[in-house]
Amino acid sequence: MIKFANQGLYTLPQAGRLLGERAATVERWAFGYERRGAAYEPPIRTEVPALEGVKVITFLELVELMFIRGLLAAGLSWKRVRTAAATATRLLHDVPHPFAMRKWFADPAGVYLQLGEEHGEPILVELAGDAQVALGKVLDPYLQQIEFDIDGVAHRWYPLGFDRPVVVDPRRALGAAIIPSGGVPTDVLLEMHRAGDSVPSIAAWYGLEEYEVAAALEFEEGLRR
């Protein structure tokens, strides 16, 4: 498992907590399911084998599920989501996690993949029909929260936005949500607050700014709504 150490690893309950979905839903999305004797393949590829029987996903797989959740919420059918995933993988020369790339975006006339530019105009390839997709619902997590590397692959996730001090970084704390300046997990700060410690005392204990602690509490409390 050493090769996955810097990719962030999440159990299904952990991934569900970050996505705001039940663990059973995350399992269906990431690993597929059977119904009435028929097997339904998942729209993403998972890389990490079960750890002592416990299924886990990586940070890039978490981002893919975030994007898939947006597509479904915007009205795209599961059939079209699967078609989009298969087509994107083929067009991108077998990229393992196409839904975790900056290239993806939505259009009211369908789901498209931007492969490059020609004469200053984006080259678009239609992937999955003419579903009426709510553009903002799909793009907002990418444009306002996810940082991409120079290759256009998801790098970090700032769930409260780039200007707030909460980050999910697969290279730090096994991908747990943390305060970047001190690396303190946000759930640890919440537990201290629930135990009766004030924001100023928590900040002093960990050498953080009070606004950092307040952001961590806001993030954690938002997950529990």
Side-chain angles (χ1 to χ4, degrees):
M1 293 302 156
I2 295 177
K3 73 173 185 176
F4 298 109
N6 291 325
Q7 295 188 31
L9 293 178
Y10 307 88
T11 64
L12 300 181
Q14 288 171 337
R17 192 175 78 92
L18 291 171
L19 292 169
E21 300 287 347
R22 296 187 302 116
T25 299
V26 174
E27 182 172 19
R28 289 197 302 272
W29 290 2
F31 297 96
Y33 61 95
E34 291 188 5
R35 179 178 294 170
R36 297 176 183 175
Y40 295 87
E41 293 294 321
I44 70 169
R45 300 182 187 183
T46 53
E47 296 185 85
V48 186
L51 304 177
E52 298 183 353
V54 178
K55 293 178 179 178
V56 295
I57 63 173
T58 67
F59 173 75
L60 291 181
E61 292 156 8
L62 180 74
V63 172
E64 289 195 289
L65 296 186
M66 186 190 309
F67 186 62
I68 287 170
R69 182 187 60 175
L71 291 178
L72 294 171
L76 204 67
S77 70
W78 259 114
K79 181 178 179 180
R80 284 176 171 164
V81 169
R82 290 192 182 93
T83 299
T87 307
T89 299
R90 185 174 68 252
L91 291 174
L92 291 172
H93 306 292
D94 211 32
V95 169
H97 300 293
F99 283 149
M101 299 184 69
R102 188 200 301 271
K103 294 176 183 290
W104 275 96
F105 67 99
D107 180 276
V111 177
Y112 295 85
L113 183 69
Q114 181 173 325
L115 297 179
E117 291 191 356
E118 183 176 13
H119 306 302
E121 295 295 327
I123 300 171
L124 306 179
V125 178
E126 186 174 4
L127 296 179
D130 58 356
Q132 295 300 305
V133 178
L135 184 62
K137 289 182 180 179
V138 178
L139 287 183
D140 279 352
Y142 284 86
L143 300 179
Q144 301 177 22
Q145 298 179 5
I146 296 181
E147 177 182 293
F148 296 88
D149 64 20
I150 59 174
D151 296 317
V153 180
H155 189 59
R156 298 184 185 92
W157 175 29
Y158 292 84
L160 298 180
F162 294 126
D163 60 341
R164 304 294 301 283
V166 175
V167 67
V168 175
D169 185 335
R171 287 154 292 277
R172 300 182 66 182
L174 296 178
I178 61 173
I179 300 300
S181 65
V184 185
T186 57
D187 59 350
V188 170
L189 301 180
L190 176 66
E191 290 306 313
M192 286 190 68
H193 188 60
R194 286 185 166 179
D197 291 287
S198 66
V199 169
S201 66
I202 296 172
W205 181 265
Y206 283 104
L208 300 173
E209 299 292 337
E210 291 184 23
Y211 76 88
E212 292 177 312
V213 176
L217 298 180
E218 178 185 338
F219 169 68
E220 285 291 334
E221 289 166 356
L223 294 179
R224 288 161 170 74
R225 291 173 187 162

